[in-house]
Amino acid sequence: MAAGTVLWLHLDDDSSALAQLANLRNAAPKALVIVLANKPDNEEALTLFSEGARAYINAHATVANLRQVSNVVQAGGLWIGESLMKRLLVSTQTALSRAQAIAATPKEAARGSDDPLAVLTKREQEVACSVANGSSNKEIARQLTITERTVKAHIGAVFQKLNVRDRLQLALIVSGRRPS
Amino acid sequence: MAAGTVLWLHLDDDSSALAQLANLRNAAPKALVIVLANKPDNEEALTLFSEGARAYINAHATVANLRQVSNVVQAGGLWIGESLMKRLLVSTQTALSRAQAIAATPKEAARGSDDPLAVLTKREQEVACSVANGSSNKEIARQLTITERTVKAHIGAVFQKLNVRDRLQLALIVSGRRPS
DNA sequence: GGCGCTATTGGACCAAAGGACAGTACTGGA
DNA sequence: TCCAGTACTGTCCTTTGGTCCAATAGCGCC
């Protein structure tokens, strides 16, 4: 397999993305791998980039987009989707400050020193806390006297910002932060 | 300034690189900024990327290289030098694995005082722990090589025994906290 | 053998959760 | 004044989660 060859890896949802990429890169270490994900996820993207992926993109992207990505990768670049970019940079920041925190004060690192809820708006923090207390959307709606729909909107925003897929994972993050 | 315009920012060694970029991006928020550094530095690069730079490269690179980078950026890509890439990914990795470790440990928290899981059968404890780790029914089914249906059966039994109404409250209990 | 507990699965059914796509309204800057 | 961010609401639709009823099978025990 010559260097410069571009390979497209369409992720199979049924097994570990990392394993799939690792396999492929084992077989063709020098290929430039573009990963197509059915359900793009920031964490997954990071993991895959660290395994040597050169691009990570929604499998349902337009042909034009795919061609563009291919061009970038062939030219030696790294493709990070527009939407991913912003958040990736944010998380890179926190990852860095965390890494630094670990190096500086390993004691604090054990408890997660920075507040993951900091990126959330006031309202988002409210719903996030309620979710973490085990409330249902309906209950939260009643609590805050807003529609269940609005609760979902806030929760959806929180999921994106904290990069979790459901309320349970959100609860784990929030309660891990404040073991009261 | 139209989106898609590429700007080359040759860093002045005498003032803060971040400030220089911030200025430029203020003036042209939508431009794609390629940063040229006389003395490339990974830390600096990260800072600049988080400020919205699209590429960071040695100012003394060959013309061919610069053209290549330009192509990548114009196509919407991100250019990250080889060494930086490696470094960036490593720190991301450690942060990730740490986050995962935190997310995966609530199980142990429950082991200190009396274990509410004691009333559960072995299998029920297994699914309860998986639930508390944020896994979906489908994932648990795969993990234990049983049907999703069976997972539901176990979970239902757990709900009754622990007197909770859903997986989130179960997770909170297993994590050693009380749902309010 | 019969009883109870555990583990497993099926089908049907309904509620909750969450995404996609849109839209209105207010506010604090540049 | 225009713009970005925040808060809020709507509809449609798909996926998950959870419950009910029902069944088969292994295991230890009296």
Side-chain angles (χ1 to χ4, degrees), chain B residues 121-124 145-147 149-150 152-154 161:
Chain B
T121 69
K122 190 163 197 159
R123 208 52 163 168
E124 286 166 356
T145 24
I146 54 180
T147 332
R149 179 64 193 78
T150 307
K152 285 186 177 183
H154 288 310
K161 288 186 179 178

Side-chain angles (χ1 to χ4, degrees), chain B residues 112-139:
Chain B
S113 45
D114 16 295
D115 196 343
L117 301 190
V119 291
L120 306 180
T121 69
K122 190 163 197 159
R123 208 52 163 168
E124 286 166 356
Q125 288 182 19
E126 286 178 18
V127 298
C129 287
S130 291
V131 165
N133 279 333
S135 301
S136 70
N137 289 345
K138 201 166 294 188
E139 287 170 342

Side-chain angles (χ1 to χ4, degrees), chain B residues 44-89:
Chain B
E44 184 177 78
L46 283 178
T47 315
L48 295 179
F49 276 121
S50 71
E51 191 60 31
R54 308 298 292 229
Y56 182 91
I57 186 176
N58 193 318
H60 305 102
T62 66
V63 174
N65 265 335
L66 294 178
R67 188 169 293 133
Q68 189 181 24
V69 172
S70 173
N71 285 336
V72 166
V73 170
Q74 276 186 61
L78 203 63
W79 180 278
I80 299 179
E82 285 305 321
S83 78
L84 172 58
M85 168 114 96
K86 197 162 278 179
R87 150 91 217 261
L88 172 67
L89 296 171

